[in-house]
């Protein structure tokens, strides 16, 4: 059993729906999850989480959604070293944005690497114009992530 911190960044709710589906699957697999739409470093530091799973869409021109931006900024300001803690990133976007496709997830992944987190598998990108059911792609990725990150 693992205890997972799951920060979510979302503007119109798609990433929240995906995060809910992932939470359900993690709980079914016997894990505990805190899904947090107001993520903070204080909460990240509040428990010895076994893993961190970020689910975020991208907004603006490659920007992090407003509800996840404070967490991203706090990670830079407070620099909470992750000491090899496993993390994963599920990144939602739209490839018609081309250069900024899924950029928010890339930014989070980069920051967690800087903090010496360990990504057992690379982040997954979910393209709104390619898939009508983002949950399926995310759940497929989760299966692999669970096997390696929570083993
Ligand atoms: C105003 C706006 C700006 C967006 N900018 C980007 C972008 O720069 N890159 C990207 O990959 N997707 C972009 N998207 C697409 C969203 O990330 C995608 O539709 C996502 O599934 C929305 O998830 P959410 O409802 O959780 O916010 C944008 C969408 C909107 C409405």
């Amino acid at each position: 059993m693992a205890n997972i911190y799951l920060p979510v960044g979302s503007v119109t709710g798609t990433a929240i729906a995906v995060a809910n589906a992932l939470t359900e699957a993690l709980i079914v697999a016997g894990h505990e999850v805190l899904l947090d739409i107001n993520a903070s470093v204080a909460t990240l530091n509040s428990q010895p989480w076994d893993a961190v799973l970020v689910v975020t869409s991208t907004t603006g021109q490659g920007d992090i959604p407003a509800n996840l931006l404070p967490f991203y900024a706090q990670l830079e300001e407070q620099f909470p070293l992750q000491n090899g803690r496993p993390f994963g990133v599920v990144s939602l976007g739209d490839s018609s944005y081309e250069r900024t496709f899924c950029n928010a997830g890339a930014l989070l992944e980069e920051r967690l690497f800087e903090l010496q987190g360990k990504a057992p598998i690379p982040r997954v990108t979910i393209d709104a114009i390619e898939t009508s059911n983002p949950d399926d792609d995310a759940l497929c990725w989760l299966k692999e992530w669970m096997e390696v990150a929570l083993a």
Side-chain angles (χ1 to χ4, degrees):
M1 197 278 288
N3 200 11
I4 298 152
Y5 186 44
L6 200 160
V8 187
S10 181
V11 179
T12 54
T14 314
I16 294 174
V18 167
N20 279 324
L22 297 180
T23 298
E24 216 176 286
L26 284 161
I27 289 171
V28 166
H31 304 299
E32 280 184 16
V33 182
L34 178 65
L35 188 163
D36 195 352
I37 58 167
N38 294 302
S40 67
V41 165
T43 307
L44 176 69
N45 290 341
S46 70
Q47 287 189 44
W49 307 101
D50 297 303
V52 176
L53 179 56
V54 177
V55 180
T56 186
S57 66
T58 296
T59 189
Q61 294 297 319
D63 301 327
I64 295 168
N67 73 307
L68 191 62
L69 205 49
F71 179 63
Y72 181 71
Q74 290 161 16
L75 287 174
E76 183 171 29
E77 290 156 13
Q78 301 179 31
F79 218 74
L81 284 175
Q82 298 300 291
N83 299 323
R85 174 157 52 196
F87 74 89
V89 177
V90 175
S91 187
L92 284 80
D94 181 327
S95 57
S96 65
Y97 286 86
E98 298 182 358
R99 274 193 320 107
T100 63
F101 176 54
C102 283
N103 190 58
L107 292 172
L108 264 303
E109 185 178 62
E110 191 182 19
R111 182 131 302 164
L112 288 163
F113 273 133
E114 279 168 13
L115 294 168
Q116 292 163 26
K118 181 184 74 186
I121 59 170
R123 75 195 160 95
V124 62
T125 55
I126 299 177
D127 187 351
I129 60 171
E130 287 284 329
T131 178
S132 54
N133 193 349
D135 294 8
D136 287 351
D137 291 9
L139 286 166
C140 184
W141 175 91
L142 181 74
K143 202 164 168 274
E144 198 187 335
W145 184 77
M146 279 198 286
E147 279 167 16
V148 284
L150 310 181

